[in-house]
Amino acid sequence: MNITKEQIDALNAVVKVAITKEDYQDKVQAILNDYRKQANIPGFRKGHVPMGLIKKQYGKAVLVDEVNKLIQDNLNKYLTEEKLDVLGNPLPKQQDDFNWDAENLDFEFELGLAPEFEAPIKTKKAITQYKIVADKKMIDEQVERIGKQYGKLISKTEVSKKDEVTGVFANEEEEINNKTTIELSNVKAKKALDALVGKKVGDVVTLKTKGLFKEDYQLSSALGLAADKSADLNTEVTFTIEEINEREPAEMNQELFDKLFGEEKITSEKELREKIKEDTEKQFEQQADQKLLNDITENFIENVKFDLPTEFLKKWIQMTGEKPLTEEEAAAEFEKSEKGLRYQLIEGKIIQENNLQVEFDELKEFAKGFIKSQMAQYGQLNPAEEELDNIAGRIMSNQDEVKRLSEQLMSQKLLTLYKEKANLKVKELSYDDFIKEVYGKE
């Protein structure tokens, strides 16, 4: 077998594979001999079928199969040894007059080659790295929420604006009949507030659903409806008051702090506020990091310029999908995937140049950290190391999970690298201002 490469241009090449009869005949003959031993053909004893009949019946199929295996093994080996960085897979060139009966077989494959380019991490223009801080307003709201959550209910005879009211929302036509508790501080509509304030247990109030609450999800919850059904609901409902309570906030004392964080971990409201600030900002960090990663990705795609073997890639997409595509469909698919391919090449270069690797042991530790955070959500704050090892072991035996976690860990390594080497300017702002600036939402 002889494999040679013809360079068409910087991004395209043709590999020629010349196969002689000596390359495949022994293997083909051995398989046909096995077929002969096993063949059950009427009129012949098992193992005594003439070889000519076996060759006539199976010879071409065996030849094609073995030659294809030979090409695949040796072509992959050639690409590796020659260190050819190809995009997609080699595409066989169409040969209409190909003769499988010839002793010497010649094949040609088109290659799309990865481009050469530079991808400097440090750019001239600085990229904004957002640091979301928990401002006083947010911390005050958290402290107030904790006070309410652990406070006590005081029964009232008449509704005021700071009360919680339990009752039944009803509308026969819309099939609404739902008992719930609402906080008047969440009611948005002034007419609704005016209608509720001063009412007593047993009173029935008629309310309009449109704009009733400050947040849309509060309406679906109050009415016991799916979010999509309550989204555009504009009708009237009755609310029958069954209970009125004022929630007296819990006192910010050691008993409460111990209940929240364990004995003597927090000893003052000042420390509580510092803890809330720290935990809240840690939660925000993931969102800010994702924004930074997105911005750096877009920056790379926009500023790192290189050509791609576009026509080859369109042809590759057209020929290698689950079903054949037209040229127009393949061109549309290429356009949709081009950005992703460009970043994939850039990211691969950065990983290679900075020797970023995911080792098995660190992947297992990463998995254990992920498991611990999941368990913490269900109140299991201190799982045993043996339990973590067992769960991580099961996860690491699943190839799909290993791939997913490897991608997450590599993403984390890239983010750390960018924070160290990229030209970043840190911008501190509150969560509300971050949402407003980044997503344009009030």
Side-chain angles (χ1 to χ4, degrees), residues 306-341:
F306 52 81
D307 292 326
L308 290 169
T310 303
E311 293 309 312
F312 169 84
L313 290 170
K314 288 178 182 177
K315 190 187 295 186
W316 179 71
I317 290 170
Q318 186 180 3
M319 295 175 64
T320 59
E322 289 183 9
K323 60 177 184 177
L325 302 177
T326 64
E327 287 186 14
E328 292 76 16
E329 289 171 334
E333 283 297 314
F334 172 75
E335 192 173 331
K336 282 194 285 185
S337 60
E338 184 181 1
K339 257 191 176 185
L341 173 59

Side-chain angles (χ1 to χ4, degrees), residues 156-419:
K156 301 274 294 294
T157 58
E158 190 175 290
V159 178
S160 72
K161 287 185 178 181
K162 58 185 178 181
D163 292 339
E164 296 178 8
V165 183
T166 300
V168 177
F169 279 107
N171 179 308
E172 190 175 344
E173 187 178 339
E174 297 292 341
E175 298 182 342
I176 297 168
N177 191 332
N178 190 56
K179 183 174 179 175
T180 188
T181 299
I182 61 172
E183 295 180 35
L184 262 68
S185 59
N186 291 327
V187 175
K188 180 181 179 183
K190 187 175 184 302
K191 284 186 178 179
L193 271 175
D194 292 343
L196 287 163
V197 170
K199 294 297 185 290
K200 298 178 180 179
V201 172
D203 287 347
V204 180
V205 185
T206 300
L207 304 169
K208 288 188 175 180
T209 58
K210 189 172 180 62
L212 180 57
F213 293 103
K214 292 177 181 177
E215 301 290 344
D216 292 340
Y217 74 88
Q218 290 168 339
L219 180 64
S220 60
S221 175
L223 301 183
L225 297 176
D228 58 341
K229 193 171 180 183
S230 67
D232 299 314
L233 189 64
N234 186 9
T235 188
E236 288 186 341
V237 290
T238 60
F239 184 63
T240 304
I241 299 172
E242 295 185 351
E243 193 177 334
I244 306 165
N245 292 297
E246 180 183 349
R247 190 173 286 273
E248 184 179 278
E251 188 179 341
M252 294 294 140
N253 56 23
Q254 196 59 51
E255 182 183 352
L256 177 61
F257 302 150
D258 290 349
K259 188 184 292 184
L260 290 170
F261 302 105
E263 195 171 342
E264 298 295 324
K265 295 286 178 68
I266 299 289
T267 59
S268 67
E269 185 175 337
K270 182 185 176 185
E271 288 182 12
L272 171 66
R273 288 174 171 273
E274 288 170 353
K275 177 67 175 167
I276 290 171
K277 181 178 175 64
E278 179 188 339
D279 290 349
T280 304
E281 290 178 356
K282 198 170 182 180
Q283 291 174 17
F284 289 152
E285 191 177 347
Q286 186 176 358
Q287 195 168 350
D289 281 349
Q290 189 58 56
K291 170 63 178 167
L292 176 61
L293 201 56
N294 291 346
D295 288 347
I296 290 175
T297 299
E298 287 298 323
N299 187 274
F300 276 133
I301 292 170
E302 186 178 338
N303 294 298
V304 177
K305 304 294 184 184
F306 52 81
D307 292 326
L308 290 169
T310 303
E311 293 309 312
F312 169 84
L313 290 170
K314 288 178 182 177
K315 190 187 295 186
W316 179 71
I317 290 170
Q318 186 180 3
M319 295 175 64
T320 59
E322 289 183 9
K323 60 177 184 177
L325 302 177
T326 64
E327 287 186 14
E328 292 76 16
E329 289 171 334
E333 283 297 314
F334 172 75
E335 192 173 331
K336 282 194 285 185
S337 60
E338 184 181 1
K339 257 191 176 185
L341 173 59
R342 286 183 177 276
Y343 183 66
Q344 192 177 339
L345 289 169
I346 295 166
E347 187 184 81
K349 189 174 185 68
I350 291 168
I351 289 170
Q352 183 183 27
E353 289 183 346
N354 292 276
N355 196 30
L356 299 182
Q357 298 174 5
V358 172
E359 304 289 349
F360 179 84
D361 287 342
E362 65 177 342
L363 185 61
K364 187 176 180 182
E365 288 304 311
F366 182 73
K368 285 162 70 173
F370 178 76
I371 295 161
K372 281 179 76 172
S373 66
Q374 291 291 100
M375 294 174 80
Q377 293 179 19
Y378 296 96
Q380 293 177 266
L381 301 177
N382 293 299
E385 194 66 23
E386 184 181 355
E387 184 180 8
L388 289 173
D389 279 330
N390 289 337
I391 299 172
R394 289 198 295 272
I395 289 174
M396 299 293 282
S397 67
N398 183 317
Q399 286 188 342
D400 291 337
E401 283 297 308
V402 169
K403 183 174 182 292
R404 183 179 66 83
L405 288 170
S406 295
E407 288 172 354
Q408 289 181 1
L409 181 54
M410 182 54 74
S411 207
Q412 197 176 90
K413 284 174 175 277
L414 283 166
L415 186 63
T416 301
L417 179 71
Y418 297 152
K419 285 181 178 180

